[in-house]
Amino acid sequence: MAESLTRQQLYDRIRASSKEEFILEEMIRLGFWARNTAQPSPSETLIRREGELRRQLNDLLSEKQRYQNKVKMLADMRKDRMAKSKLKIAETKKRREEERKARAEAWAVAKDQQILYLGEEISAGLNKVNPDTAQLAKFNLPVFADATALASAMGITLGKLRYLAFNRKVGHHTHYQRFQVPKKSGGTRVISAPMPQLKAAQHWILEHILYKVSHSEAAHGFVPGKSIVTNAAPHVGQDIVINIDLRDFFPSIAYKRVKGLFCKLGYAEQVATILALICTEPEVDEVLLDGRKYYVAKTARHLPQGAPTSPAITNLICFKLDRRFAGLAEKYGYAYTRYADDMTFSAKGAAADKAGQLLRAVKMFVKEEGFTIHPDKLHVMRKGDRHAVTGIVVNEKLSIDRTTLRKFRALLHNIEKTGLSGKRWGKGKNIISSIEGYANFVYMVKPEWGARLKEKLAALLQRPDIKAEAHAIWTGNNSQPVTTEAISASSHPAGYTSSATTTPAATTDSSTTTPGKITPPEPPAATDKPWWDVV
């Protein structure tokens, strides 16, 4: 073995141990020194021990030499530390990448099976999926274990449900068409009309959940079988009538309150959150940036005025308020009804003198329930005054304001003579929708009067010249801009809904159903598509 080594290699080997140890190993290798594996001889032990000590000494000398050169020592230490750090970084990066991929795969699977996030500040309770089945059974409501079950019941995909409920503070699209209509008292009111997909989902909630929950007997607005007529009837012939209006009724009912309603009905927080998001919407500003339109939320979510679910939700949220007012009315000898945000108290005899006490209690209850009375719409009508409830005169019997009725008849006469051009009724811009709405209103209160007005209006709309003008109005090819049918409601007495725009919630009973509804020329029909396919 030694013969194959170079001189330098021999020197290095001797330097690494000792000359004696090298000679000993060579003698053992060549057979000149007996191998004693059981018990080495003292001389062999000493030689090997000397070699071991020499190696340790060489290591110490090398370490000492390294420490004497501080610059090199620090450089070596830094180099070693950097190498270890790079190795650790590489290992950490690899581990985190593997974890990220695993999380992404798990999230993709979870998104297909459940809803875990619906936007900022409202997603905290989406992991709670245990409904109160006993409470749901009490109200005879359907049970949904989670969002997947809700989507299945609604007949849509989980992704579509997430899309409809997602809370966006800034987005490129909106689920509502917003426009302004004039108020009877002046100013404008913002109407938020849901797009077809959201509107269909809201109608499903209305029919399968909200309509199944009983409301208070005092509620008459947007309740099947009730109307402004049933709301006004209890106040006929009273000595005093008090009308109270709540300010910003729909916007004052926030998302959290709507979510609380669904939770109280028995739904788990996940389902309640989704239902509340579908039924609420913030006010938004339209911002144009780099040629693209953005919708930026400027308020918290609340009930939109124009969604089919909003009136039914207000009736359920006001259940406690109605019960307190009914008890208050009974205490002071008053009758009480409510149509949406219009509340009416009436009484006769000695009870009429207790109006001050009643109003003080009413103001306190309204404040405690989270609402605000509109100071300009609190009217106390005493004996001798004209008593009107939701636009219906109730002094002696249910009647129509005769001055307004004469003006309407005069308008029909003018239309018969000179056509629709230049004519207006109330503050609505769509003359056809406005006059049809008022005719339907009269029919609800006075069927015999209304029938004659509707018959005359139907005959006018069938005349070729007026029919052509009407078609131009409905299709927008007219100087009179066409707005949604909801505009006509602003020209009617408060609380009235035209039969042309009545939702199931506002349907009246058989005694007030309008036969042969006047149908103006229809605008061009849109392409028929399922609501979930509408872009």
Side-chain angles (χ1 to χ4, degrees):
M1 177 179 179
E3 291 81 357
S4 62
L5 298 177
T6 64
R7 183 185 296 274
Q8 184 61 44
Q9 289 174 335
L10 288 173
Y11 287 158
D12 292 340
R13 184 174 174 185
I14 293 172
R15 191 180 297 112
S17 57
S18 68
K19 180 179 178 181
E20 289 75 9
E21 186 177 14
F22 173 75
I23 293 173
L24 176 63
E25 290 178 353
E26 286 298 308
M27 290 179 70
I28 293 173
R29 183 178 69 82
L30 296 173
F32 295 106
W33 193 284
R35 293 180 181 273
N36 189 356
T37 56
Q39 183 68 36
S41 63
S43 56
E44 181 181 352
T45 302
L46 290 174
I47 292 173
R48 292 191 181 280
R49 178 59 179 163
E50 181 185 1
E52 181 181 349
L53 292 175
R54 188 174 293 278
R55 282 191 295 273
Q56 292 179 2
L57 178 61
N58 290 338
D59 291 340
L60 291 174
L61 291 174
S62 177
E63 190 76 9
K64 178 182 178 182
Q65 185 179 5
R66 189 166 68 89
Y67 287 155
Q68 287 177 346
N69 189 347
K70 294 182 179 180
V71 176
K72 186 176 184 304
M73 179 188 69
L74 292 174
D76 291 343
M77 291 175 62
R78 188 178 296 109
K79 184 177 180 181
D80 182 62
R81 188 169 62 249
M82 289 296 294
K84 292 180 179 179
S85 177
K86 288 181 179 179
L87 179 61
K88 186 175 181 180
I89 290 174
E91 292 175 350
T92 303
K93 184 177 180 180
K94 181 180 179 181
R95 186 185 74 253
R96 289 180 177 176
E97 181 64 19
E98 292 174 352
E99 292 174 351
R100 186 194 65 78
K101 289 182 179 180
R103 287 196 303 269
E105 292 173 357
W107 175 251
V109 173
K111 282 179 64 177
D112 292 337
Q113 298 176 352
Q114 54 187 317
I115 292 179
L116 301 175
Y117 183 75
L118 286 174
E120 298 179 14
E121 301 175 0
I122 50 88
S123 301
L126 292 177
N127 60 334
K128 299 178 181 179
V129 293
N130 296 319
D132 187 344
T133 53
Q135 185 76 349
L136 291 170
K138 176 182 175 182
F139 293 108
N140 194 27
L141 294 175
V143 178
F144 307 115
D146 53 19
T148 304
L150 176 61
S152 177
M154 296 177 72
I156 59 177
T157 64
L158 191 65
K160 180 64 68 177
L161 183 64
R162 182 187 295 108
Y163 166 72
L164 295 176
F166 202 89
N167 180 46
R168 297 174 180 84
K169 292 189 176 181
V170 179
H172 299 300
H173 62 276
T174 176
H175 290 303
Y176 288 85
Q177 287 183 328
R178 298 171 179 86
F179 50 89
Q180 295 182 342
V181 297
K183 292 183 179 180
K184 184 179 179 181
S185 58
T188 59
R189 175 182 289 109
V190 176
I191 301 297
S192 300
M195 297 292 193
Q197 297 184 52
L198 182 63
K199 186 176 182 180
Q202 290 174 343
H203 272 299
W204 188 94
I205 295 173
L206 184 68
E207 295 172 8
H208 293 83
I209 297 177
L210 299 177
Y211 274 170
K212 291 188 175 183
V213 184
S214 59
H215 50 78
S216 68
E217 291 297 323
H220 290 261
F222 311 98
V223 176
K226 294 186 178 182
S227 66
I228 57 173
V229 176
T230 62
N231 180 69
H235 308 290
V236 173
Q238 302 283 53
D239 293 339
I240 185 172
V241 175
I242 303 173
N243 285 336
I244 302 170
D245 188 274
L246 299 179
R247 171 179 279 172
D248 298 328
F249 184 52
F250 289 99
S252 66
I253 300 178
Y255 156 78
K256 289 185 178 180
R257 200 167 182 180
V258 179
K259 177 183 173 181
L261 169 66
F262 286 113
C263 287
K264 190 173 182 180
L265 293 178
Y267 287 109
E269 190 168 353
Q270 183 188 74
V271 173
T273 298
I274 295 171
L275 294 174
L277 287 171
I278 291 176
C279 296
T280 59
E281 179 75 358
E283 295 178 17
V284 299
D285 282 331
E286 295 184 11
V287 179
L288 193 63
L289 181 63
D290 296 332
R292 190 170 189 181
K293 184 181 290 186
Y294 293 85
Y295 297 91
V296 182
K298 63 178 182 179
T299 66
R301 298 183 74 95
H302 55 75
L303 286 182
Q305 189 163 356
T309 48
S310 294
I313 290 175
T314 60
N315 282 338
L316 297 180
I317 287 179
C318 289
F319 184 88
K320 181 181 177 182
L321 179 68
D322 288 339
R323 187 171 58 184
R324 297 181 74 179
F325 279 170
L328 186 67
E330 184 179 359
K331 176 181 177 181
Y332 289 108
Y334 278 71
Y336 165 70
T337 61
R338 180 180 59 82
Y339 193 97
D341 58 343
D342 293 324
M343 301 174 295
T344 304
F345 293 86
S346 65
K348 62 170 49 180
D353 297 330
K354 301 177 182 178
Q357 302 174 51
L358 177 76
L359 284 174
R360 281 193 293 272
V362 165
K363 291 178 180 179
M364 180 180 66
F365 289 171
V366 168
K367 184 177 181 180
E368 290 175 353
E369 294 298 324
F371 297 106
T372 304
I373 293 178
H374 199 303
D376 298 332
K377 295 184 178 181
L378 195 160
H379 303 291
V380 179
M381 297 162 282
R382 297 188 178 274
K383 199 169 185 178
D385 297 333
R386 175 177 168 273
H387 297 176
V389 178
T390 52
I392 301 175
V393 179
V394 295
N395 288 70
E396 298 178 357
K397 59 182 179 179
L398 297 176
S399 185
I400 305 293
D401 180 67
R402 293 183 179 273
T403 301
T404 306
L405 186 60
R406 283 195 296 270
K407 290 180 179 179
F408 184 74
R409 287 170 175 161
L411 174 66
L412 294 184
H413 178 74
N414 289 335
I415 292 174
E416 183 179 9
K417 296 297 183 182
T418 60
L420 294 171
S421 179
K423 307 298 188 303
R424 296 180 69 88
W425 179 250
K427 295 184 179 181
K429 296 181 180 180
N430 188 328
I431 180 64
I432 299 173
S433 183
S434 297
I435 60 180
E436 182 192 16
Y438 185 77
N440 288 330
F441 163 69
V442 175
Y443 184 87
M444 291 176 66
V445 183
K446 290 289 186 180
E448 64 281 4
W449 297 358
R452 290 195 294 269
L453 292 176
K454 288 166 66 66
E455 183 180 351
K456 183 172 183 178
L457 182 55
L460 287 175
L461 291 175
Q462 292 303 315
R463 270 179 34 183
D465 55 335
I466 296 179
K467 193 172 184 178
E469 287 184 276
H471 181 75
I473 292 174
W474 280 105
T475 56
N477 299 322
N478 189 277
S479 59
Q480 291 180 317
V482 179
T483 62
T484 180
E485 295 174 353
I487 293 178
S488 64
S490 64
S491 63
H492 307 149
Y496 173 68
T497 303
S498 168
S499 64
T501 59
T502 300
T503 64
T507 305
T508 59
D509 56 21
S510 58
S511 63
T512 59
T513 303
T514 305
K517 182 178 76 70
I518 301 170
T519 305
E522 293 290 337
T527 303
D528 292 332
K529 289 184 178 181
W531 65 267
W532 54 85
D533 286 340
V534 178
V535 178

